[in-house]
Amino acid sequence: MSNPHSIPTAEERVLATLNKDGSRRWLRPRLSPGRFLIGRKAVGYALIVLFAALPYIRINGKPAMLLDLPNRQFTFFGRTFLPTDTLLLAFLLLTIFVTIFLLTALFGRVWCGWGCPQTVYMELVYRPVERFFDGKHYKSGGRVPLSAPRAIGKYLTFLLISMFLAHVFLAYFVGVETLAQWVRQSPLSHPAAFLVMAGTTLLMMIDFCFFREQMCTLACPYGRFQSVLLDRQSLIIGYDVKRGEPRGKLKKDAPASTGDCIDCKACVVTCPTGIDIRDGLQLECIGCAQCIDACDTIMDKVGKPRGLIRYSSQQAMEEGRSRLLRARVVVYPLALIVLVSLFSLTLAKKGSADVSFLRHRGQPYQVLPSGDITSTLLIKIVNRDESARSYRVTVDGVREQRSGDLPLLLEPGASGQITLHLTVAPDRFAEGRADIGVRVEDGAEFDRNFPHHLMGPLYSGGNRGNMPQGGTR
Ligand code: SF4
Ligand code: SF4
């Protein structure tokens, strides 16, 4: 009788990375050389070089990419964005999302297989290191025990690679100059940064040594969204059922009715997520094209045409034709054009300074015994320029302006506030407001006029007998 407390064994494998008894099925995908592997290597190694080089590249004297969190400044390709650029950031994020939707609708999971850091580093960096150190152990699928020197060599190399990548990652947040100083100092002189580097290294070790393909098959939200982002015309990697089935081992006396698939399983043992592409389109497929390279090699050997597994679409595989033009490939580009135009327009309208008017707490105005109205104006200025600027403010349409904050000297990226005390003639007010012009200039290129209105008593000109001496509106 079976133990009632034991975990029941599943009738069939539920996940490619789980055995029937629920234990982890460790994958050791076989490398399949071929034209797509060459292409993926070219793209993948170029991306790795780009990732490591970007913090060093300077555009307009600034790093190509710097995410300066403490100072809340974000530099992309020579342009610095500030927290006040929320509209720009919103347009940028929406543009990225719509681009992902469009690329997925057209090219399926090409990003996962060719550009995603998880695939690129796992398959082009960590996996080759593992194959090198494991040797026979790798080829035996783990049945040959790994000797201690090999295990130490493997995990030490993993650690060094992870530490290098963690330092590059840190350079995106602190800049290469600061990083170069830190690596020569004791970690105690910059403990927070050291902890970030150590934490990133640890996460990479967990991911690339243990979690691996489960990041794609279980954790990645992009993978989960595939079923809504793809349609039947999207580019996928698929097995030609019509041509391949009924599959059968290659034998001299095999019946003529056998399909082209010789059931060699080369496409299965090479798959980094452990699936069988012949079972149809699956969420776990990351589009790495290793099964194409594996099957093409087999087809060459058995003298059959390549392409039993190939890039195609579900519709083309089933009906022999595919439709490129459909609603989503028209709507997404249109949305992209609108978003990019809005982004460019907002960017072009941005001057070298951000000026905003803040609300003054307390009474909005006071009526002096002379009848004049006094009001306080708060102006916030953000210097978006690359050099320090000295800002001056002059107000048009007032009797007098006083401020102890002028001129306001601001370092690049810094913000400051000016408090202006204004005295306005009563005949400037109509319907409880007076229109004024506020000119802000930095003595260099920034010189702008901002229309503004001050709140005041509800009378105009000589009709002021019914108003208290101190407004509260
Ligand atoms: S590699 Fe090709 S021939 Fe071999 S099992 Fe896969 S589909 Fe069939
Ligand atoms: S099924 Fe083919 S393309 Fe998909 S992950 Fe496996 S090997 Fe890569």
Side-chain angles (χ1 to χ4, degrees):
M1 211 175 130
S2 66
N3 180 356
H5 302 295
S6 67
I7 299 171
T9 303
E11 286 175 12
E12 57 182 32
R13 182 173 285 150
V14 186
L15 272 176
T17 47
L18 281 185
N19 290 313
K20 284 185 192 171
D21 62 1
S23 60
R24 172 79 180 268
R25 179 177 165 237
W26 286 93
L27 300 176
R28 288 183 176 76
R30 192 180 292 166
L31 188 69
S32 295
R35 57 198 164 124
F36 290 111
L37 183 63
I38 293 171
R40 279 179 59 224
K41 278 185 175 174
V43 173
Y45 290 128
L47 287 174
I48 292 172
V49 170
L50 184 69
F51 172 66
L54 261 185
Y56 290 90
I57 297 171
R58 299 194 87 80
I59 301 169
N60 299 336
K62 297 175 175 184
M65 199 176 285
L66 181 65
L67 309 170
D68 186 354
L69 293 179
N71 294 314
R72 297 190 296 160
Q73 294 184 8
F74 310 99
T75 304
F76 297 103
F77 301 101
R79 174 116 203 179
T80 299
F81 296 88
L82 303 173
T84 46
D85 295 327
T86 37
L87 198 58
L88 276 174
L89 195 66
F91 288 142
L92 186 68
L93 286 178
L94 283 171
T95 305
I96 292 171
F97 281 131
V98 176
T99 306
I100 291 173
F101 292 169
L102 176 64
L103 289 179
T104 311
L106 287 173
F107 306 117
R109 293 187 77 168
V110 74
W111 161 254
C112 302
W114 291 68
C116 175
Q118 175 71 24
T119 312
V120 167
Y121 287 101
M122 185 69 237
E123 301 307 325
L124 301 182
V125 178
Y126 289 84
R127 191 91 72 191
V129 169
E130 182 165 67
R131 286 193 181 106
F132 174 76
F133 281 103
D134 280 11
K136 278 188 299 182
H137 175 88
Y138 190 91
K139 285 184 189 139
S140 75
R143 287 184 296 280
V144 177
L146 195 60
S147 66
R150 280 180 182 272
I152 292 169
K154 178 167 91 170
Y155 289 110
L156 198 61
T157 312
F158 280 175
L159 185 64
L160 290 175
I161 294 170
S162 302
M163 284 178 72
F164 169 75
L165 294 176
H167 277 87
V168 177
F169 178 72
L170 199 57
Y172 279 84
F173 295 89
V174 300
V176 283
E177 294 84 6
T178 309
L179 187 69
Q181 282 175 9
W182 284 352
V183 291
R184 292 192 206 102
Q185 298 169 348
S186 157
L188 294 176
S189 59
H190 46 268
F194 180 76
L195 284 177
V196 170
M197 189 283 294
T200 310
T201 304
L202 181 68
L203 286 176
M204 273 195 269
M205 287 296 282
I206 293 172
D207 181 18
F208 292 115
C209 298
F210 171 73
F211 205 55
R212 298 192 160 192
E213 69 286 340
Q214 295 179 121
M215 183 61 84
C216 310
T217 58
L218 301 178
C220 176
Y222 179 58
R224 307 289 98 191
F225 281 122
Q226 290 305 305
S227 44
V228 284
L229 296 178
L230 293 176
D231 58 22
R232 283 173 47 75
Q233 288 81 26
S234 302
L235 194 72
I236 55 159
I237 290 176
Y239 165 70
D240 191 339
V241 179
K242 285 184 192 162
R243 193 185 133 186
E245 301 295 321
R247 66 188 78 160
K249 295 280 178 205
L250 191 64
K251 291 179 196 150
K252 275 195 184 136
D253 54 351
S257 58
T258 307
D260 280 358
C261 175
I262 60 168
D263 203 19
C264 64
K265 296 199 168 48
C267 54
V268 183
V269 295
T270 199
C271 178
T273 59
I275 58 170
D276 186 341
I277 190 71
R278 297 171 301 169
D279 293 341
L281 182 63
Q282 292 152 76
L283 214 60
E284 290 90 343
C285 175
I286 56 167
C288 71
Q290 272 286 271
C291 52
I292 301 184
D293 282 334
C295 192
D296 280 353
T297 308
I298 299 296
M299 290 297 112
D300 288 349
K301 281 185 186 158
V302 299
K304 300 249 170 86
R306 289 181 167 193
L308 179 55
I309 300 174
R310 61 179 181 271
Y311 275 108
S312 187
S313 69
Q314 276 179 289
Q315 190 182 44
M317 283 279 188
E318 288 163 18
E319 301 165 24
R321 61 178 180 87
S322 194
R323 191 163 48 96
L324 186 67
L325 198 65
R326 61 256 196 218
R328 63 177 79 191
V329 299
V330 175
V331 172
Y332 291 153
L334 287 178
L336 267 183
I337 291 170
V338 172
L339 284 168
V340 171
S341 308
L342 286 172
F343 180 83
S344 313
L345 219 65
T346 315
L347 196 63
K349 271 171 61 185
K350 288 248 170 215
S352 61
D354 281 341
V355 177
S356 50
F357 294 88
L358 305 178
R359 203 177 169 81
H360 177 244
R361 287 187 196 152
Q363 283 189 341
Y365 65 90
Q366 280 198 324
V367 182
L368 298 177
S370 64
D372 282 351
I373 316 299
T374 62
S375 187
T376 303
L377 191 59
L378 301 180
I379 303 173
K380 185 183 174 190
I381 301 178
V382 182
N383 179 9
R384 305 175 60 86
D385 208 86
E386 305 310 319
S387 48
R389 292 284 181 221
S390 178
Y391 294 92
R392 293 177 183 280
V393 177
T394 41
V395 184
D396 210 23
V398 298
R399 213 190 276 286
E400 187 191 12
Q401 74 170 67
R402 285 179 295 112
S403 174
D405 303 325
L406 292 172
L408 179 68
L409 186 68
L410 290 178
E411 292 299 318
S415 65
Q417 193 173 305
I418 296 167
T419 305
L420 277 174
H421 302 286
L422 305 174
T423 306
V424 191
D427 57 4
R428 298 281 308 173
F429 286 88
E431 307 287 329
R433 58 183 263 178
D435 294 325
I436 58 169
V438 181
R439 182 181 176 194
V440 181
E441 38 117 12
D442 66 358
E445 64 188 57
F446 190 82
D447 186 350
R448 282 202 189 168
N449 276 301
F450 297 88
H452 190 70
H453 62 261
L454 296 174
M455 290 176 74
L458 271 170
Y459 58 71
S460 64
N463 182 23
R464 29 187 132 124
N466 56 355
M467 201 61 205
Q469 299 291 297
T472 51
R473 292 191 306 119

